[in-house]
């Protein structure tokens, strides 16, 4: 991939900044049902409000604006607006047939904005990460408390869905594929299997970021893995990075990042929430608070890529970027 060399060079020189939350920013637009529909989907038979991925088609200027704000704040890597861009997740809106277009157009928007910023400052190249969310189904757990052996999805169904999404993200111009917010590693393995197939078929090496999510104070993913077990179970591929995002604030994430940093030969990423949600589901942590907590990561040399998840804004990313610029990236370990 044409930008891979620049990406690895940048990672060897400094801590790279990932963007913040797309959903948090889109809430500011206060889009209603008709805004989500736009002209093209005004007669769609089903409600579509809340389908943020659809906004890449109906409100592309808003998606572009959000990307620009994060790049202006100092982001090196921006994520495509495709967190729910699989046929599995789009089934909620009866929009499975739009999946290729949604991912392709989302990647094109991000690519265009990144290229504009790179031209302005060639010494700071910007990269597009194709965002691949976990879907709303899990391959490891039963959704039916009365039938623990039941599964709502199979590995093969996940593989097919992820492959379609990944191909569109690459065709649209993504530099990286980011398998993120992993609560079930079996789902992630299906995505990684699909990406590996694409690498073989296209004869290319794709930089792959993998980011799990620790869901509670026990330090495990939803499907029960510790940080170390999670790392082991995704390390069969030659990844760009492994890390954690979402669910926890920066403080709570530290011990799990230490596990990754001390045991992984890949780069390490982190993009925590802006603290834990309050009683109203809002995130109260200020940019300054969040940066002061992330300082522990940088002082301990735990990270190579840092950004923000739920509740974070361009102001958070700027504070994090200003902090990270003062520190060296984590040195890669080599295990015999």
């Amino acid at each position: 991939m044409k930008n891979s060399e620049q990406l690895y060079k940048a990672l060897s020189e400094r801590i790279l900044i990932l963007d913040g939350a797309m959903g948090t920013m889109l809430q500011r637009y206060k889009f209603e049902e008709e805004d989500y529909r736009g002209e093209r989907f005004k007669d769609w038979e089903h409600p579509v409000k809340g389908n943020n991925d659809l906004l890449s088609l109906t409100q592309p200027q808003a998606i572009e604006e959000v990307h620009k704000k994060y790049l202006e704040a100092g982001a090196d890597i921006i994520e495509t607006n495709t967190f729910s861009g699989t046929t599995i997740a789009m089934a909620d809106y009866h929009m499975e047939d739009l999946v290729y277009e949604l991912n392709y157009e989302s990647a094109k928007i991000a690519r265009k904005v990144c290229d504009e910023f790179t031209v302005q400052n060639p010494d700071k190249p910007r990269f597009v990460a194709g965002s691949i969310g976990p879907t709303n189904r899990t391959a490891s757990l039963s959704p039916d408390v009365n039938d623990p052996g039941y599964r709502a999805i199979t590995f093969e169904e996940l593989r097919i869905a992820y492959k379609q999404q990944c191909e569109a993200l690459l065709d649209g111009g993504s530099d990286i594929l980011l398998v993120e917010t992993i609560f079930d590693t079996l789902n992630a393995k299906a995505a990684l299997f699909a990406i590996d197939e694409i690498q073989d078929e296209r004869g290319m090496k794709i930089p792959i970021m993998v980011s799990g999510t620790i869901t509670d104070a026990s330090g495990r993913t939803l499907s029960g893995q510790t940080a170390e077990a999670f790392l082991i179970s995704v390390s069969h591929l030659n990844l760009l990075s492994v890390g954690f995002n979402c669910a926890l604030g920066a403080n709570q994430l530290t011990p799990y990042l230490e596990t990754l940093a001390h045991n992984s030969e890949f780069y390490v990423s982190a993009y925590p929430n802006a603290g834990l949600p309050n009683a109203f589901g809002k995130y109260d942590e200020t940019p300054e608070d969040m940066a002061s907590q992330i300082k522990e990561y940088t002082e301990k040399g735990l990270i190579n890529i840092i950004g923000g998840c739920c509740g974070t804004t361009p102001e958070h990313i700027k504070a994090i970027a200003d902090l990270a610029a003062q520190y060296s990236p984590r040195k890669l370990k080599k295990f015999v």
Side-chain angles (χ1 to χ4, degrees):
M1 295 177 72
K2 65 181 174 69
N3 291 334
S4 290
E5 203 173 300
Q6 285 184 308
L7 175 61
Y8 280 93
K9 182 175 184 291
L11 276 164
S12 70
E13 295 170 347
R14 56 197 171 85
I15 297 171
L16 295 192
I17 307 301
L18 188 68
D19 62 4
M22 174 62 77
T24 299
M25 294 300 290
L26 290 176
Q27 285 172 9
R28 296 181 175 184
Y29 289 85
K30 296 185 165 53
F31 287 137
E32 296 297 336
E33 180 73 29
E34 60 269 24
D35 301 307
Y36 278 87
R37 288 174 176 268
E39 187 60 28
R40 178 173 167 187
F41 300 101
K42 70 177 195 298
D43 298 323
W44 197 257
E45 294 176 3
H46 309 278
V48 295
K49 186 180 177 182
N51 185 358
N52 281 353
D53 294 27
L54 182 63
L55 296 173
S56 293
L57 302 184
T58 57
Q59 302 290 341
Q61 72 290 343
I63 305 303
E64 190 172 321
E65 281 171 12
V66 173
H67 287 328
K68 281 183 176 173
K69 284 175 180 166
Y70 281 124
L71 290 168
E72 285 163 357
D76 298 286
I77 304 169
I78 56 170
E79 295 185 53
T80 56
N81 179 41
T82 54
F83 187 80
S84 300
T86 57
T87 49
I88 297 160
M90 280 296 139
D92 287 354
Y93 303 98
H94 304 270
M95 288 184 157
E96 297 95 321
D97 290 346
L98 290 172
V99 161
Y100 184 91
E101 184 184 1
L102 285 170
N103 285 280
Y104 179 78
E105 292 299 331
S106 294
K108 268 183 69 177
I109 294 168
R111 175 81 275 147
K112 171 177 172 279
V113 183
C114 274
D115 288 348
E116 287 170 4
F117 275 76
T118 300
V119 167
Q120 290 168 21
N121 184 1
D123 293 335
K124 186 179 167 70
R126 311 302 178 104
F127 305 97
V128 177
S131 169
I132 301 157
T135 84
N136 47 8
R137 300 198 179 180
T138 168
S140 293
L141 303 169
S142 172
D144 183 353
V145 71
N146 297 311
D147 185 0
Y150 173 70
R151 296 292 181 270
I153 194 85
T154 66
F155 185 91
E156 179 63 5
E157 287 168 333
L158 286 164
R159 181 195 68 79
I160 292 166
Y162 282 130
K163 189 170 184 183
Q164 181 186 21
Q165 180 179 26
C166 292
E167 289 184 322
L169 287 169
L170 291 169
D171 293 347
S174 297
D175 301 301
I176 301 162
L177 291 180
L178 168 55
V179 183
E180 64 173 324
T181 321
I182 298 161
F183 59 81
D184 180 353
T185 309
L186 192 56
N187 283 41
K189 279 179 172 288
L192 294 172
F193 191 91
I195 294 169
D196 207 26
E197 277 190 330
I198 296 169
Q199 291 190 124
D200 286 344
E201 289 166 8
R202 298 193 179 194
M204 65 195 299
K205 183 179 183 303
I206 301 165
I208 307 165
M209 293 176 67
V210 167
S211 185
T213 188
I214 299 290
T215 50
D216 59 35
S218 73
R220 293 173 183 266
T221 65
L222 187 66
S223 55
Q225 285 188 313
T226 62
E228 195 164 13
F230 169 72
L231 172 63
I232 291 166
S233 64
V234 296
S235 291
H236 57 290
L237 275 185
N238 183 22
L239 304 175
L240 175 71
S241 69
V242 64
F244 289 115
N245 73 290
C246 202
L248 303 176
N251 264 357
Q252 295 94 339
L253 210 52
T254 306
Y256 314 119
L257 289 176
E258 287 178 325
T259 297
L260 296 183
H262 297 154
N263 294 288
S264 174
E265 56 192 77
F266 309 126
Y267 293 110
V268 169
S269 71
Y271 48 116
N273 291 346
L276 297 175
N278 62 26
F280 304 102
K282 303 290 184 188
Y283 295 86
D284 299 323
E285 210 159 78
T286 67
E288 295 71 30
D289 287 343
M290 197 169 174
S292 70
Q293 293 172 26
I294 284 170
K295 191 174 183 182
E296 185 176 8
Y297 304 172
T298 56
E299 287 178 339
K300 289 182 174 178
L302 301 180
I303 53 167
N304 304 95
I305 302 169
I306 183 71
C309 204
C310 304
T312 58
T313 64
E315 292 75 26
H316 289 85
I317 297 307
K318 184 177 189 312
I320 292 168
D322 290 346
L323 168 79
Q326 303 168 40
Y327 292 88
S328 298
R330 167 183 165 271
K331 294 282 179 276
L332 283 194
K333 290 179 179 289
K334 286 295 174 195
F335 298 97
V336 180

